[in-house]
Amino acid sequence: NTFEEGVIGLVKLLDKSGGSARGTVRRLAEPVQVDPELLQQLRDAGVLPGATGEFGYSEGYVLVQMDGSDEGLELPVEIASHVFLLAEQS
């Protein structure tokens, strides 16, 4: 299934990489898509499919800093688990 190829959940990626990672947003899972307020927050912070950024754990949250966006975003881990990235090949 090419849709899933190279795609990894944000939280899983952070756990694997020791707490910080860089990647490109591939998709937002359905629980995020059905929450208009959350979707707007993500959009405002530039968390959109195709956008690249830095992700890391910060005091129980996942801190998201997208390239070209001044606004960082703190996401609860359960929300961040619905964000899927195309992991960058190192």
Side-chain angles (χ1 to χ4, degrees):
N1 181 337
T2 50
F3 183 69
E4 295 298 331
E5 212 170 288
V7 175
I8 185 167
L10 174 50
V11 172
K12 193 178 279 182
L13 177 63
L14 290 177
D15 287 344
K16 232 171 78 168
S17 68
S20 69
R22 184 168 174 75
T24 301
V25 177
R26 179 72 167 85
R27 66 186 180 92
L28 303 172
E30 206 159 281
V32 173
Q33 294 178 24
V34 296
D35 183 337
E37 200 172 296
L38 176 60
L39 211 49
Q40 189 59 54
Q41 273 187 318
L42 290 168
R43 206 172 276 146
D44 290 348
V47 185
L48 297 164
T52 301
E54 302 277 343
F55 305 89
Y57 282 129
S58 171
E59 294 173 11
Y61 286 88
V62 174
L63 188 61
V64 176
Q65 183 64 59
M66 302 308 288
D67 295 357
S69 175
D70 302 332
E71 298 270 312
L73 185 63
E74 279 190 337
L75 293 175
V77 172
E78 61 270 18
I79 299 293
S81 68
H82 298 303
V83 177
F84 290 85
L85 301 181
L86 214 47
E88 299 213 332
Q89 306 304 315
S90 46

